[in-house]
Amino acid sequence: MAQPITTLRAGIIGTGFIGPAHIEALKRLGVQVAAIVDNDRAKVVADKWGVPNAITDLDHRKLVTHPEVDVVHIASPNKLHAQHAADALKAGKHVICEKPLAMTSKETAQLLKLAATRPKQVFAVNYNLRFYPAVLQLRAAVQRGDFGTIFHVNGSYFQDWLLKDTDYNWRLLPKEGGALRAVSDIGTHWMDAASFVLGSRISEVYAQLETLHKNRKRPIGEVQTYSKAGADQKYETYPVQTEDYAAVLLRWGSGVFGSLNVSQVAAGRKNCLRLEIYGSKKSACWNSEEPNSIQYGSRDGANEVSLRGAPGFAEDVVGFTDYPAGHAEGFPDTFKMNCRAIYTAIASGKREGALFATVEDGHHEVKVCDAILKSSKTRKWVKV
Ligand code: SOE
């Protein structure tokens, strides 16, 4: 019989915005969080969440080799993902790595190779948006052929937390976050979710990247994701080498064509992913800021709004939604459901039919990023 997931113990690398999101999801699932590593903040986060072991000297090796840790969650800055993931795998641990999987496809290819030598260890990438009930519902609708022939898939992922030239975060620096920023930070969420819905990988891209703030002002001192500067903050100016905005034309392996716009300077859009599917029979539109409903469009009949938990948006997502209709589920619930799926695979030893993103998916997303960068430079379609 499979062991209950509550017997598994997690270790978290990183205490920024997303590390605690992992902890909260695990606590909701009854999974023990045994240890956390970062600088002094590890102690603060450990005290807040009741994590017994706080490692405050940034030494991730102490966490990955910790005897009470079975699963390592990597929520460190992008530049550290490859090292942290490789060390966790070599220590025999299961791994859940934040996206993007690493800085370059060379690094992700090495991780893929290493993972292949350790098939018993689960290696997941945190493309949590797959676990919005609406995304799973759209996937089921595509699989059933509800849309007819899919003509095109379009959408955007817009945020405004980097709107001002004084907004700062490590993601802005290529050395910390990678050569791409908006595309790899949030665009890959859209591309992964759309590909998951379509059941096909992106095979070709044509991209235009724009850096709207050519120079930005960097606050002197450290800044957390989404934090706001005080009135007396002092700044130094630096040239920006990563994109604020991207427009990407896409072709999936299945032949479907589409487009994606990505922006982190879209005033008023806090964390807004829109996904639209247009088929010969009908269309669907979904917006992550109103996650509990899907709009379906048809030319001859009435357009409809389908609500989570109600007929038409309930049966296909059994096991991925815990609350009845009218009791909103959102971003933190996607973490819970993603972790539940991953921990269930670990506890049961079963890998077939897993819905979470794997190291292969993470590698593919980074290859798509490489192709997007190349296309933006060569002004040509680039194959992934
Ligand atoms: C910042 O853009 C960010 O926190 C991303 O890094 C996350 O992946 C996304 O879920 C929300 O926005």
Side-chain angles (χ1 to χ4, degrees):
M1 214 175 90
Q3 72 182 115
I5 64 171
T6 48
T7 58
L8 292 165
R9 299 155 306 173
I12 314 287
I13 307 181
T15 59
F17 163 64
I18 223 70
H22 285 254
I23 299 177
E24 184 186 12
L26 295 169
K27 293 265 171 182
R28 290 174 74 194
L29 292 167
V31 171
Q32 305 163 53
V33 183
I36 182 159
V37 60
D38 205 319
N39 54 17
D40 290 346
R41 283 200 312 274
K43 177 87 180 90
V44 177
V45 174
D47 288 348
K48 179 172 173 188
W49 288 97
V51 178
N53 302 291
I55 303 162
T56 56
D57 61 2
L58 290 166
D59 186 355
H60 71 280
R61 286 187 184 83
K62 288 186 185 142
L63 183 127
V64 302
T65 56
H66 200 289
E68 286 163 36
V69 170
D70 305 306
V71 186
V72 174
H73 292 240
I74 300 170
S76 47
N78 302 350
K79 71 169 179 189
L80 302 170
H81 289 181
Q83 185 69 58
H84 288 173
D87 288 344
L89 279 179
K90 286 178 193 160
K93 304 299 164 83
H94 304 281
V95 176
I96 305 178
C97 185
E98 265 304 328
K99 34 51 56 181
L101 177 57
M103 299 278 271
T104 63
S105 55
K106 197 173 160 207
E107 282 181 349
T108 56
Q110 280 163 358
L111 287 175
L112 199 63
K113 223 169 145 191
L114 179 60
T117 64
R118 301 177 164 267
K120 290 206 171 118
Q121 290 163 245
V122 167
F123 189 164
V125 180
N126 193 44
Y127 282 114
N128 56 300
L129 304 195
R130 291 181 176 208
F131 288 86
Y132 272 110
V135 173
L136 289 153
Q137 179 62 51
L138 290 172
R139 185 171 188 265
V142 168
Q143 282 176 353
R144 251 196 318 269
D146 291 1
F147 297 99
T149 303
I150 296 178
F151 288 149
H152 50 92
V153 173
N154 309 87
S156 54
Y157 197 155
F158 287 170
Q159 298 179 328
D160 74 358
W161 69 287
L162 294 173
L163 176 67
K164 299 182 182 173
D165 67 354
T166 48
D167 293 325
Y168 179 76
N169 183 261
W170 57 262
R171 287 174 178 79
L172 286 149
L173 309 178
K175 271 193 179 161
E176 303 279 320
L180 289 178
R181 186 231 312 164
V183 170
S184 77
D185 186 38
I186 53 175
T188 62
H189 269 306
W190 188 95
M191 295 188 288
D192 178 76
S195 304
F196 176 67
V197 166
L198 294 176
S200 177
R201 285 201 167 129
I202 292 168
S203 58
E204 219 176 336
V205 295
Y206 184 94
Q208 171 80 23
L209 306 178
E210 293 290 339
T211 303
L212 285 321
H213 290 299
K214 305 280 184 245
N215 293 290
R216 284 181 178 261
K217 298 187 184 90
R218 180 180 181 159
I220 296 165
E222 202 184 336
V223 181
Q224 291 293 310
T225 310
Y226 296 118
S227 66
K228 295 220 162 39
D232 54 350
Q233 182 70 58
K234 292 200 171 41
Y235 297 95
E236 59 193 3
T237 300
Y238 67 101
V240 182
Q241 287 155 344
T242 54
E243 79 291 354
D244 295 308
Y245 172 83
V248 189
L249 300 180
L250 307 155
R251 201 180 293 283
W252 278 268
S254 59
V256 171
F257 179 74
S259 64
L260 163 67
N261 287 289
V262 185
S263 174
Q264 290 185 311
V265 292
R269 301 275 82 87
K270 303 303 170 192
N271 192 41
C272 180
L273 180 148
R274 289 176 201 262
L275 177 60
E276 307 194 350
I277 302 168
Y278 294 91
S280 55
K281 288 193 189 155
K282 64 178 189 174
S283 67
C285 298
W286 178 69
N287 173 356
S288 68
E289 288 189 329
E290 291 164 19
N292 291 261
S293 63
I294 301 172
Q295 293 179 27
Y296 288 105
S298 79
R299 194 173 78 168
D300 301 324
N303 290 351
E304 292 171 358
V305 177
S306 188
L307 300 179
R308 184 191 55 78
F313 188 175
E315 303 80 3
D316 290 321
V317 294
V318 172
F320 297 104
T321 169
D322 281 346
Y323 285 81
H327 300 73
E329 290 184 10
F331 183 81
D333 300 276
T334 65
F335 272 75
K336 186 180 83 175
M337 293 301 173
N338 190 24
C339 286
R340 182 184 284 169
I342 299 166
Y343 275 74
T344 302
I346 294 170
S348 67
K350 280 201 205 130
R351 304 289 184 263
E352 328 69 71
L355 295 178
F356 55 83
T358 59
V359 61
E360 286 85 7
D361 297 315
H363 174 53
H364 188 76
E365 285 303 321
V366 176
K367 285 203 301 183
V368 177
C369 286
D370 286 354
I372 287 175
L373 189 59
K374 188 168 174 197
S375 168
S376 74
K377 286 182 178 156
T378 58
R379 299 193 167 262
K380 287 196 175 122
W381 278 92
V382 174
K383 287 202 190 327
V384 179

